[in-house]
Amino acid sequence: MTRAASPLLAFGVAAGGIAVYSAMDALMKGLSITSGAYNAVLWRSIAGVALMLPVFLVRRRPWPTRAALKLHAARGSVAGASVLLFFWGLVRVPMAQGVALTFLAPLIALFLAALTLGERIRRAAIGGSLVASLGVLAIAMGEVQARASQDAIFGSVAVVAASILYAGSLILLRRQAQVADPLEVALFTSVVLSLLLLVGAPWFGSMPAAGQWPEILVAALLGSASAVALAWAYARAEAQVLAPVEYTAFVWSALFGWLVFAEVVSAWTVAGAALIIAGCIVAVRRPFPAPQTEASA
């Protein structure tokens, strides 16, 4: 059982989780540039397990049920493939552009939620997503004009593929969060991803340099904190309410991209961000209840 929480509170917690995750993206992009995306994701996942497992054991929580383990395995696999593709692509495109392309995921998730979770898609959620999609198109137009290298194209295709998988992981997260607490969700997602990547480690992986361990540990800590926040939020609000919160990642990615990698944000990007924020506001807005009349009272 999960305690009731207002949709706005759940949205705020999810937004905080996205901001923390964006900071981790900047660290992971740097690690992926120096060591490769496979190594960066592998060692961040292992570090995440090392950080969360002691807390899980100390709390003496019951072992996940068979149904929960199946969900953990499914989401860990889908999310893992998405993360690996995303960071491979992020090495080849600016952070703002990469994150803008992932905004396909919340739009896809809205309709997957209706198909798989039986959620009713409200008109406000559809309208907000359409407004936000205009922002994504504006950003894409500006970035295409600025960068058209073959490497960037491959990176963009990888990020688009990652966004499709991420949409599926958002739906699985909603189901996962109904049967497990946030710490369990975050821990077992990292466990599954670590096990999958370890299978290929003899061919694609290598030990990180000693100087990279602090960044790996911080990235794992940020990723774990973000996963817990998102799992908490998805246990308390519908996927269609929370899916648009992903759009706020653009603002953070543009900021971190500028601070860490000196990536310049174009006017197209600023205009797109404004539309995205407007879309988020529209999507989470709920209509006021109609006043009761004497006949209905």
Side-chain angles (χ1 to χ4, degrees), residues 91-177:
V91 171
R92 291 156 176 81
V93 298
M95 285 189 63
Q97 179 180 340
V99 169
L101 290 172
T102 66
F103 292 157
L104 292 169
L107 300 177
I108 298 169
L110 288 175
F111 298 99
L112 286 179
L115 290 174
T116 62
L117 301 179
E119 296 182 4
R120 178 176 175 270
I121 301 178
R122 300 192 316 275
R123 186 177 301 175
I126 296 174
S129 296
L130 291 175
V131 172
S133 69
L134 294 177
V136 174
L137 288 175
I139 294 165
M141 288 176 62
E143 294 296 343
V144 166
Q145 288 182 359
R147 297 172 182 270
S149 68
Q150 187 177 26
D151 209 33
I153 292 172
F154 285 142
S156 297
V157 171
V159 174
V160 169
S163 71
I164 295 172
L165 291 171
Y166 185 56
S169 77
L170 288 177
I171 302 304
L172 289 170
L173 174 59
R174 172 66 173 163
R175 294 177 58 194
Q176 197 180 20

Side-chain angles (χ1 to χ4, degrees), residues 2 8 25 31 61 63 106 115 196 204-205 251-252 256 265 268:
T2 56
L8 284 178
D25 280 348
L31 288 168
R61 300 288 296 177
W63 189 254
L115 290 174
L196 290 174
F204 306 110
V251 178
W252 296 109
F256 291 127
V265 180
W268 284 94

Side-chain angles (χ1 to χ4, degrees), residues 160-215:
V160 169
S163 71
I164 295 172
L165 291 171
Y166 185 56
S169 77
L170 288 177
I171 302 304
L172 289 170
L173 174 59
R174 172 66 173 163
R175 294 177 58 194
Q176 197 180 20
Q178 298 298 313
V179 298
D181 67 29
L183 178 62
E184 181 183 319
V185 169
L187 170 62
F188 280 88
T189 298
S190 291
V191 168
V192 172
L193 180 51
S194 298
L195 292 175
L196 290 174
L197 292 177
L198 280 171
V199 172
W203 296 276
F204 306 110
S206 62
M207 287 294 295
Q212 292 178 323
W213 278 110
E215 293 181 49

Side-chain angles (χ1 to χ4, degrees), residues 2-293:
T2 56
R3 287 180 290 180
S6 74
L8 284 178
L9 175 59
F11 188 89
V13 171
I18 292 298
V20 171
Y21 197 87
S22 298
M24 186 211 66
D25 280 348
L27 281 173
M28 288 294 290
K29 176 169 181 172
L31 288 168
S32 298
I33 290 172
T34 57
S35 323
Y38 196 96
N39 278 322
V41 176
L42 168 63
W43 293 109
R44 187 209 68 178
S45 301
I46 292 175
V49 174
L51 288 172
M52 289 183 287
L53 183 59
V55 180
F56 181 81
L57 295 176
V58 166
R59 292 177 64 198
R60 296 184 179 180
R61 300 288 296 177
W63 189 254
T65 64
R66 186 173 181 179
L69 284 174
K70 287 182 179 180
L71 278 175
H72 294 330
R75 182 168 179 266
S77 302
V78 174
S82 174
V83 166
L84 193 57
L85 281 169
F86 174 71
F87 286 117
W88 187 90
L90 197 63
V91 171
R92 291 156 176 81
V93 298
M95 285 189 63
Q97 179 180 340
V99 169
L101 290 172
T102 66
F103 292 157
L104 292 169
L107 300 177
I108 298 169
L110 288 175
F111 298 99
L112 286 179
L115 290 174
T116 62
L117 301 179
E119 296 182 4
R120 178 176 175 270
I121 301 178
R122 300 192 316 275
R123 186 177 301 175
I126 296 174
S129 296
L130 291 175
V131 172
S133 69
L134 294 177
V136 174
L137 288 175
I139 294 165
M141 288 176 62
E143 294 296 343
V144 166
Q145 288 182 359
R147 297 172 182 270
S149 68
Q150 187 177 26
D151 209 33
I153 292 172
F154 285 142
S156 297
V157 171
V159 174
V160 169
S163 71
I164 295 172
L165 291 171
Y166 185 56
S169 77
L170 288 177
I171 302 304
L172 289 170
L173 174 59
R174 172 66 173 163
R175 294 177 58 194
Q176 197 180 20
Q178 298 298 313
V179 298
D181 67 29
L183 178 62
E184 181 183 319
V185 169
L187 170 62
F188 280 88
T189 298
S190 291
V191 168
V192 172
L193 180 51
S194 298
L195 292 175
L196 290 174
L197 292 177
L198 280 171
V199 172
W203 296 276
F204 306 110
S206 62
M207 287 294 295
Q212 292 178 323
W213 278 110
E215 293 181 49
I216 291 172
L217 291 173
V218 172
L221 182 61
L222 294 176
S224 300
S226 174
V228 169
L230 289 172
W232 186 94
Y234 270 84
R236 290 162 174 80
E238 293 181 350
Q240 65 174 323
V241 171
L242 297 179
V245 78
E246 302 292 327
Y247 297 131
T248 62
F250 170 77
V251 178
W252 296 109
S253 65
L255 176 62
F256 291 127
W258 174 65
L259 290 174
V260 180
F261 303 104
E263 297 169 352
V264 178
V265 180
S266 68
W268 284 94
T269 302
V270 174
L275 286 169
I276 288 167
I277 294 171
C280 288
I281 295 173
V282 171
V284 299
R285 184 186 62 191
R286 287 182 177 272
F288 290 105
Q292 288 189 330
T293 62

